[in-house]
Amino acid sequence: MDTLQHDGTELEWMESARWVKFEEKVEKGGERWSKPHVSTLSLHSLFELRTYLQSCTVLLDLEGSSLPQIMGELDLIMASQINEQVLVLDSSVLRLMCPVLVFGIISDHAQSQSMNDISDTPSTDQLKNKFMKKIPRDAEASNVLVGEVDFLEKPFVAFVRLAQATTLGGLTEVPVPTRFLFVLLGPQRKGRSYTEIGRAIATLMVDDLFSDVAYKARDRDDLIAGIDEFLDEVTVLPPGEWDPKIRIEPPKKVPSADMRKSVFSLNELGQVNGIVGSPAPEEDIPMPHELGEELVFTGKFCGGLCLDIKRKLPWLFSDFYGGFHIQSISAVLFIYLGCITNAIAFGGLLGDATDNYQGVMESFLGTALAGTVFCFFGGQPLIILSSTGPILIFEKLLYEFSKNNHIDYMELRLWIGLHSCLQCLILVATDASFIIKYITRFTEEGFSSLISFIFISDAIKKMVASFNYYPINRGYKPEYVTMYKCECQAPSQCKCLNDTALDWSQLSQKECLFYGGSLIGNSCKYVPDLALMSFILFFGTYSMTVSLKKFKFSRYFPTKVRLAWGDFSTLMSIMTFVGLDMLIGLQTPKLIVPTEFKPTRSDRGWIVEPFGKNPWWMCLASFVPALLVTILIFMDQQITAVIVNRKENKLKKGCGYHLDLFWVGILMAACSLLGLPWYVAATVISIAHIDSLKMESECSAPGEQPQFLGVREQRLTGILVFVLTGVSIFLAPILQFIPMPVLYGVFLYMGVASLSGVQFWDRIKLYLMPAKHQPDFIYLRHVPLRKVHLFTLVQITCLAVLWILKSTVAAIVFPVMILGLMLVRKMLDLVFSQHDLAWLDDILPEKDKKRTEDGKRKKDRRRCKGWEENSDAEVREAQPYTSRHIHLHIPATHFRDMPVDPTESSSFKHV
């Protein structure tokens, strides 16, 4: 927007404000733009603008290819409205017009050039202007010019829409075509009022719905109707209760214009802003939880599986070339380190639990095999397969049972895996995955929170264990440093060769113990600084990763730098603290990777024999424990899939619940035959994979937050992660430099990050907050706080029961307890109303069905009473008159669907 100002004795157009989406003002001195802020308009200026448009000059579809031609048309109109003696002033005034573009296209300085200095073609500076990055593609400009002059007795107002957007040469600082012009010149002493009217039309032109109206308006009445619709949604702030000088920060997320279209459809029926009345009960609840057509029960043999395959086939090629992006590199390295850490941790625990029948080597090989196959052929390749805690507990109990009853563990495990594979295939063939639609947010959050807490507790336990292994000498006193020593004492019988005399005081710790000596002294068991250094590496990796992730939303450095730091936060943190560890040079515990390709236990091969060591009836009896494994796999796999496929992630390629379970079942049989661990979807690592591939808009208006666009859906990152995991045995010389505390820090970050945005975790924190300091969560507006706390308490109790259960011998029934969460959720229908559950959780499908049936019955009753015989006009006539003033309501959808024909008129429509 340009305002006409005095420069000495001359008038000159000065740039005063600009809009791309939010308003920016020229600060005093004209050397910088203000921070983008929400435009706060006076209601009086909007009504004045509406009044002016009712009588002003409106030129629609004006043919103009240059600024002098356009100004010439305005010159003629203006000359017909003012006295003859002022005719010669028109061109001199209009010659100064060099407007600011409403869409933010202006120079870095605030003073515009004169008409004589404007060229017909864009200059080099225009083409190189970096501000173009902030402008949406195919944007067009609107120019607003307001000012006061001494030769007019009444305001001259003109609204111009060009037939074709025209690049007016050097008029704009960037080569963006101009479509609209708004000119307001009036008598003196009303400059503030003119400025506010100019701000009003500028704000209207950046409004999505009004701009559509302006583009497709047929006459003046359409523009006025667009203003009326805008006024219907205006919110007024009382002047005595806020400071108008405050600049309102742009919101983090602007509601979609589609929501306003629904308001327009209500306005057509007379339900405008301001009607007193309470909404219907059905309207006071959020949208129901929808899982899509993927979980529809087909009733056909393998019907769901066939639909999954048809759904995923069209995306097959894009699943691979979609992964060629620099963001994928960061995701691969991040998830790879998480996977190998998980493989080593669970491999070591499996080795301890099964007497090395399964160990780190089997864990690496199984992770690589299962993960690669699943990412190639699975329905949702963003899911990461891994060993899980419940499976580890089952393996431990199964080995103890086999050992105590003299049963061959590997053969029994093979038959359990084969039966579980068969049961999974039966579930796939019968579309049993449709049961997942009964898993609401209550069950999802309970299960995912449990897994997250397991990750967090495991990371902390490992750090505490390192403190126990490298204890801190709390009794150390510098004054008595001379008394701290550790000596090697000779044994009574020496292992020395040829009875060679040894100088025991010169032997190292390993040599002393090798020859049978003993370490004597009060400092022998202490290794200085390792505990503290391990904690620094652990907490430093976690803290740096969190800080760099948040740095993406800071105000420092350009957007690309911040995005790069956010995407590579985990890698940068790991590299930083690995370098710090190498610089300090302490012997911190390092990552141990197998170096030879062979089974961990020497008396077993890579293929497990199905017969020969156990009685024949064990092949059939193994069907019973296989049921527990199948329940565990089904629940773990499908709950993780539901979490990954949430609508919040904006996935576009569809789900594949049946296809995922099919391949998990096949891999169960393959891993059992090879003696490898069983694998299922890992909730925390899968969520981390999703988070590392999130996309945000690159082009944003000043003040507008980058918008979440979705996830980079592809198969390449998962495949590369598991291929790297498989070849990690050959990367031992490099990976051996990574300290284990650094990887524990990555574990901690995964666990904490997966809790962010979980409603259950937010509700837990409400217990510690006074009511006046609680965030404005949407469910707190509709559900009493005591019921929110009660609902949270039920979830905490269920989570505690699951935690205790998994830590005891009864952990074998853990899969059944996960199913128990669904039963608890069903019982909550007896305690909470459906309205409260709709805000705190999701309505179960039976309730949705009942509501649909009730609505159908009501509709049938209305049809019987003859309601449908009334025409739309009769309905509108029967409604009470509620408009504040007579005006025409024209929905934006009307203009969207209206064809535009610029060639309809040879010149333009002059209203």
Side-chain angles (χ1 to χ4, degrees):
M1 182 177 72
D2 269 11
T3 56
L4 194 59
Q5 302 180 15
H6 285 273
D7 185 10
T9 58
E10 297 182 358
L11 290 173
E12 187 170 12
W13 290 103
M14 302 290 290
E15 300 166 340
S16 59
R18 70 180 180 189
W19 287 254
V20 175
K21 190 175 185 67
F22 301 101
E23 182 177 0
E24 296 175 85
K25 293 183 178 179
V26 175
E27 303 290 19
K28 287 187 177 180
E31 296 180 357
R32 65 183 295 270
W33 289 106
S34 71
K35 185 177 180 180
H37 56 277
V38 178
S39 297
T40 52
L41 307 175
S42 66
L43 196 60
H44 181 71
S45 65
L46 285 169
F47 282 116
E48 278 195 305
L49 173 63
R50 184 181 186 278
T51 302
Y52 280 139
L53 285 180
Q54 287 178 329
S55 58
C56 76
T57 299
V58 176
L59 306 180
L60 301 179
D61 298 333
L62 173 66
E63 297 290 346
S65 59
S66 65
L67 186 60
Q69 182 181 352
I70 298 171
M71 293 305 175
E73 296 287 350
L74 292 178
D75 190 6
L76 294 175
I77 298 171
M78 189 175 184
S80 64
Q81 296 183 13
I82 61 177
N83 298 327
E84 292 294 332
Q85 57 267 29
V86 190
L87 179 60
V88 294
L89 296 178
D90 298 344
S91 59
S92 62
V93 173
L94 296 177
R95 189 179 296 117
L96 295 171
M97 294 184 178
C98 178
V100 142
L101 302 184
V102 175
F103 289 100
I105 316 349
I106 83 164
S107 63
D108 294 334
H109 54 85
Q111 182 174 349
S112 62
Q113 304 169 357
S114 68
M115 180 77 92
N116 297 329
D117 299 328
I118 297 177
S119 61
D120 294 332
T121 58
S123 64
T124 305
D125 293 338
Q126 286 180 287
L127 297 174
K128 293 183 178 180
N129 196 317
K130 295 182 179 180
F131 196 76
M132 279 294 295
K133 297 179 181 179
K134 296 292 184 180
I135 303 170
R137 184 177 299 178
D138 301 328
E140 295 177 347
S142 298
N143 305 322
V144 178
L145 300 95
V146 296
E148 52 183 357
V149 292
D150 57 2
F151 57 84
L152 289 177
E153 296 179 357
K154 60 180 181 178
F156 169 77
V157 183
F159 181 89
V160 180
R161 182 183 71 195
L162 301 180
Q164 296 293 335
T166 304
T167 301
L168 302 178
L171 173 64
T172 58
E173 290 299 321
V174 286
V176 173
T178 297
R179 173 72 76 163
F180 296 96
L181 293 98
F182 179 83
V183 180
L184 170 56
L185 295 176
Q188 292 182 340
R189 295 182 300 278
K190 296 189 66 176
R192 181 178 178 83
S193 175
Y194 300 154
T195 301
E196 290 303 311
I197 294 173
R199 292 182 60 246
I201 187 63
T203 305
L204 281 167
M205 292 306 299
V206 294
D207 180 73
D208 290 338
L209 299 187
F210 181 83
S211 63
D212 284 343
V213 173
Y215 268 97
K216 299 180 180 179
R218 295 165 295 185
D219 50 35
R220 172 196 321 276
D221 293 336
D222 290 346
L223 293 174
I224 296 174
I227 295 180
D228 290 337
E229 297 291 1
F230 184 86
L231 284 169
D232 281 339
E233 296 183 78
V234 166
T235 300
V236 179
L237 297 175
E241 299 181 14
W242 77 294
D243 186 0
K245 296 180 181 179
I246 296 176
R247 292 173 178 173
I248 302 177
E249 292 279 342
K252 292 184 178 180
K253 185 177 181 181
V254 179
S256 172
D258 293 336
M259 299 176 64
R260 294 174 56 192
K261 294 177 193 175
S262 63
V263 176
F264 286 168
S265 63
L266 292 177
N267 289 348
E268 284 187 294
L269 299 179
Q271 300 177 10
V272 296
N273 185 19
I275 292 180
V276 178
S278 57
E282 291 82 5
E283 296 176 0
D284 196 23
I285 59 174
M287 293 298 294
H289 181 62
E290 296 180 0
L291 293 176
E293 59 179 7
E294 296 87 354
L295 293 177
V296 174
F297 182 72
T298 63
K300 301 178 181 178
F301 179 77
C302 293
L305 179 63
C306 294
L307 291 177
D308 283 349
I309 295 175
K310 291 179 181 179
R311 189 179 301 111
K312 302 303 293 186
L313 275 179
W315 302 103
L316 185 60
F317 293 104
S318 65
D319 280 347
F320 288 95
Y321 68 72
F324 290 95
H325 192 273
I326 191 171
Q327 186 183 20
S328 300
I329 300 175
S330 169
V332 167
L333 295 175
F334 174 38
I335 303 303
Y336 164 67
L337 291 172
C339 282
I340 63 171
T341 306
N342 198 56
I344 291 172
F346 280 101
L349 294 174
L350 273 173
D352 295 337
T354 63
D355 196 16
N356 286 327
Y357 275 104
Q358 298 176 77
V360 176
M361 174 56 72
E362 287 79 9
S363 183
F364 267 80
L365 182 60
T367 302
L369 173 65
T372 304
V373 171
F374 185 85
C375 288
F376 256 113
F377 305 107
Q380 183 48 271
L382 296 176
I383 292 176
I384 301 295
L385 296 191
S386 177
S387 296
T388 60
I391 288 181
L392 173 64
I393 295 171
F394 184 87
E395 294 272 19
K396 182 178 180 180
L397 296 175
L398 182 63
Y399 178 75
E400 291 177 353
F401 172 81
S402 302
K403 184 178 179 180
N404 295 335
N405 292 276
H406 307 289
I407 298 174
D408 185 76
Y409 162 70
M410 296 302 290
E411 183 177 317
L412 174 62
R413 183 179 180 276
L414 169 62
W415 282 104
I416 291 176
L418 293 176
H419 282 298
S420 181
C421 171
L422 177 61
Q423 292 165 6
C424 287
L425 296 181
I426 293 174
L427 293 176
V428 172
T430 56
D431 287 354
S433 293
F434 84 95
I435 301 174
I436 300 301
K437 65 183 180 181
Y438 295 97
I439 296 180
T440 64
R441 184 183 293 271
F442 177 88
T443 308
E444 289 178 30
E445 292 184 343
F447 181 78
S448 63
S449 298
L450 175 66
I451 304 301
S452 299
F453 289 145
I454 290 175
F455 264 68
I456 295 172
S457 64
D458 285 350
I460 296 176
K461 284 180 182 178
K462 293 179 188 300
M463 276 308 304
V464 172
S466 67
F467 273 74
N468 294 332
Y469 192 76
Y470 304 110
I472 298 175
N473 189 357
R474 294 185 176 87
Y476 180 80
K477 297 180 180 180
E479 182 64 23
Y480 303 108
V481 65
T482 55
M483 299 181 183
Y484 294 107
K485 59 182 179 178
C486 182
E487 296 179 349
C488 181
Q489 183 178 4
S492 56
Q493 294 182 353
C494 182
K495 295 182 181 179
C496 314
L497 296 177
N498 301 326
D499 295 330
T500 304
L502 293 176
D503 186 358
W504 292 91
S505 62
Q506 300 298 320
L507 294 181
S508 65
Q509 178 183 358
K510 289 184 178 180
E511 292 173 340
C512 179
L513 298 177
F514 176 77
Y515 290 119
S518 57
L519 299 174
I520 304 298
N522 52 7
S523 63
C524 291
K525 61 180 181 178
Y526 298 110
V527 180
D529 304 323
L530 283 190
L532 178 60
M533 186 64 187
S534 296
F535 177 78
I536 291 174
L537 296 176
F538 166 74
F539 191 72
T541 302
Y542 166 76
S543 301
M544 185 174 178
T545 304
V546 172
S547 300
L548 289 179
K549 279 290 184 182
K550 292 182 178 179
F551 187 75
K552 182 189 300 185
F553 306 104
S554 72
R555 302 177 180 180
Y556 302 100
F557 299 103
T559 304
K560 289 186 177 180
V561 175
R562 289 187 278 110
L563 290 177
W565 284 20
D567 292 338
F568 288 87
S569 57
T570 308
L571 176 63
M572 293 173 67
S573 302
I574 292 173
M575 297 299 293
T576 298
F577 286 94
V578 168
L580 178 63
D581 178 74
M582 296 177 66
L583 181 64
I584 301 299
L586 295 177
Q587 297 299 315
T588 52
K590 300 296 191 297
L591 182 63
I592 301 175
V593 185
T595 56
E596 298 182 38
F597 185 74
K598 63 178 183 181
T600 304
R601 191 179 174 103
S602 58
D603 60 345
R604 60 150 289 193
W606 284 118
I607 302 296
V608 178
E609 297 293 335
F611 303 103
K613 297 182 180 180
N614 292 336
W616 65 270
W617 54 268
M618 291 296 296
C619 303
L620 303 177
S622 57
F623 182 86
V624 177
L627 280 174
L628 291 174
V629 178
T630 302
I631 295 174
L632 173 61
I633 289 176
F634 180 83
M635 297 301 297
D636 203 343
Q637 174 68 38
Q638 302 296 49
I639 290 179
T640 302
V642 169
I643 294 173
V644 169
N645 294 320
R646 280 177 179 167
K647 60 182 179 182
E648 291 88 352
N649 292 329
K650 296 184 179 181
L651 302 182
K652 300 178 180 179
K653 296 185 178 181
C655 316
Y657 294 97
H658 310 278
L659 187 58
D660 288 344
L661 187 61
F662 172 81
W663 283 109
V664 168
I666 296 297
L667 290 170
M668 280 286 295
C671 291
S672 301
L673 186 62
L674 297 174
L676 304 177
W678 293 324
Y679 293 92
V680 73
T683 306
V684 172
I685 302 181
S686 298
I687 294 175
H689 192 207
I690 289 282
D691 185 64
S692 64
L693 291 171
K694 287 184 176 179
M695 299 182 295
E696 293 180 337
S697 58
E698 296 180 0
C699 178
S700 59
E704 185 181 18
Q705 295 288 340
Q707 299 298 311
F708 172 60
L709 302 178
V711 179
R712 201 174 301 279
E713 300 178 67
Q714 35 73 47
R715 301 178 183 269
L716 198 58
T717 54
I719 293 172
L720 290 178
V721 164
F722 292 113
V723 169
L724 287 175
T725 303
V727 302
S728 292
I729 56 175
F730 305 108
L731 301 177
I734 299 175
L735 298 178
Q736 66 182 357
F737 291 107
I738 301 179
M740 288 302 296
V742 170
L743 299 182
Y744 299 155
V746 176
F747 256 46
L748 179 63
Y749 170 74
M750 285 183 174
V752 173
S754 61
L755 289 175
S756 63
V758 176
Q759 189 193 94
F760 172 50
W761 182 242
D762 293 334
R763 284 189 272 105
I764 289 178
K765 292 186 287 186
L766 291 179
Y767 279 110
L768 307 177
M769 298 180 188
K772 64 180 180 179
H773 295 305
Q774 292 175 352
D776 186 23
F777 294 131
I778 186 65
Y779 50 83
L780 292 179
R781 300 182 182 182
H782 301 273
V783 183
L785 185 60
R786 58 183 176 81
K787 290 190 176 182
V788 174
H789 286 335
L790 177 60
F791 187 84
T792 307
L793 183 62
V794 173
Q795 280 189 291
I796 293 175
T797 304
C798 293
L799 184 62
V801 170
L802 288 175
W803 184 275
I804 295 172
L805 185 66
K806 83 167 189 65
S807 305
T808 62
V809 182
I812 195 169
V813 298
F814 180 80
V816 180
M817 289 303 298
I818 298 178
L819 285 174
L821 289 177
M822 301 172 63
L823 179 61
V824 173
R825 170 60 186 86
K826 179 66 176 177
M827 295 173 62
L828 290 179
D829 285 343
L830 305 176
V831 181
F832 296 88
S833 66
Q834 294 304 304
H835 172 270
D836 294 344
L837 289 175
W839 286 105
L840 296 173
D841 191 38
D842 299 309
I843 302 297
L844 292 175
E846 291 87 356
K847 298 296 180 183
D848 286 341
K849 183 178 180 181
K850 183 177 183 298
R851 183 182 302 159
T852 303
E853 292 175 351
D854 291 343
K856 188 176 180 180
R857 291 193 192 101
K858 291 180 181 178
K859 188 175 181 181
D860 291 340
R861 292 194 201 105
R862 291 179 180 178
R863 184 179 293 110
C864 293
K865 293 179 181 180
W867 282 31
E868 290 191 353
E869 295 178 1
N870 294 333
S871 64
D872 292 343
E874 292 173 337
V875 172
R876 284 195 294 271
E877 226 173 277
Q879 292 178 344
Y881 179 75
T882 57
S883 297
R884 298 184 302 274
H885 52 272
I886 300 174
H887 59 269
L888 177 64
H889 284 289
I890 300 181
T893 52
H894 168 74
F895 293 105
R896 290 184 182 275
D897 301 332
M898 186 189 304
V900 177
D901 187 7
T903 63
E904 182 179 348
S905 176
S906 58
S907 57
F908 60 89
K909 297 176 184 177
H910 180 193
V911 184

